[in-house]
Amino acid sequence: SQDEVAAMRADVEAQRAAADPGDKRSWWATDASGDEHCCRVTYLNQRSPRFADLAHDPRLLRLAALASADLLPTPDHGDGVSVVIKCPEIVHGLADLPWHRDCGMGGHPVLCPGLNVGVQLDAANVDTGQLRFLPGSQHFASSMAVDESASTTVAIDAEPGDVTVHYGHTMHVAPAPASPDGAAYRRTVYVSFHKPEYLEVIPEGQGYNDILFAHGDGRVRSPEERV
């Protein structure tokens, strides 16, 4: 509901303000003016009572049950319940994800199939940095070149309160917001669902994305910066 969305927005902003680049529970990026912005906060469920039970919300469980595999909520593994914040005008950092699969850092045998359920706190469109997908790519194991033409890829439009669901193995991209004044952006809260083996292999509080912090300064690097 819109009341739920408004409360989530307020809580997300409070957790965003409390985040620190060295906490390894948030991702940071730099804009053209040199200012640092928090572009992702992970494990909201451990920080906020409002998100503590979201992974077990019957509405989300009903969506996850549509998958062909038996998938369970995993709030204490990987990124937990997290929020992606599409900050505008970013020039350094991993705020704008290139074409990728969620198993791209490794772990495909245990990560896939896996579902990401996104609760949209803002409108998702070109101006705010919407997700785009390559249809059918979930059926292929290896990476592939992606034709950027509109006839090949599919953009996802959404409004606040909408809930989206996608398989992490599907090739997808999260481009920068295209708002001309940089004022429009989106925030999306994600809950992940995985098969039981995932919980047996991945220790609590850890995930394959942790490799992004391996350089030691607490800041997530984009693939180009890590080369």
Side-chain angles (χ1 to χ4, degrees):
S1 69
Q2 292 307 302
D3 287 343
E4 288 177 289
V5 168
M8 286 184 180
R9 282 192 196 120
D11 214 344
V12 160
E13 289 306 309
Q15 299 305 321
R16 182 183 185 183
D20 180 87
D23 60 18
K24 293 191 177 181
R25 287 290 186 259
S26 56
W27 295 20
W28 294 75
T30 309
D31 67 18
S33 299
D35 295 325
E36 292 281 309
H37 298 272
C38 178
C39 58
R40 183 175 301 201
V41 181
T42 62
Y43 288 97
L44 289 171
N45 50 299
Q46 296 179 1
R47 300 166 177 255
S48 164
R50 184 172 306 282
F51 294 108
D53 297 322
L54 184 62
H56 299 279
D57 188 300
R59 294 167 292 183
L60 304 192
L61 293 175
R62 190 161 57 247
L63 291 173
L66 297 175
S68 57
D70 180 20
L71 303 180
L72 305 174
T74 57
D76 298 318
H77 301 74
D79 287 338
V81 176
S82 64
V83 60
V84 169
I85 305 163
K86 293 296 298 180
C87 305
E89 301 179 334
I90 293 300
V91 295
H92 297 295
L94 202 51
D96 305 314
L97 295 178
W99 284 102
H100 69 287
R101 305 182 193 274
D102 290 343
C103 58
M105 293 293 175
H108 169 73
V110 294
L111 285 173
C112 299
L115 284 182
N116 292 316
V117 178
V119 179
Q120 307 298 321
L121 304 187
D122 302 284
N125 52 47
V126 171
D127 283 347
T128 62
Q130 68 192 145
L131 285 170
R132 298 187 68 90
F133 292 88
L134 181 63
S137 57
Q138 71 272 17
H139 298 300
F140 298 89
S142 59
S143 297
M144 59 185 68
V146 178
D147 184 346
E148 294 281 357
S149 69
S151 62
T152 301
T153 64
V154 175
I156 303 300
D157 292 316
E159 295 298 326
D162 286 348
V163 176
T164 59
V165 184
H166 70 271
Y167 278 111
H169 191 72
T170 307
M171 292 286 289
H172 55 290
V173 65
S179 174
D181 57 4
Y185 63 96
R186 72 172 169 89
R187 293 159 291 185
T188 304
V189 173
Y190 283 104
V191 178
S192 296
F193 293 82
H194 292 284
K195 54 191 179 182
E197 297 93 311
Y198 175 85
L199 300 176
E200 299 170 2
V201 173
I202 306 298
E204 286 194 14
Q206 297 182 30
Y208 286 96
N209 282 343
D210 292 349
I211 189 64
L212 295 169
F213 292 102
H215 47 274
D217 63 2
R219 185 171 174 272
V220 170
R221 295 286 196 272
S222 68
E224 294 79 6
E225 291 176 291
R226 290 182 60 84
V227 172

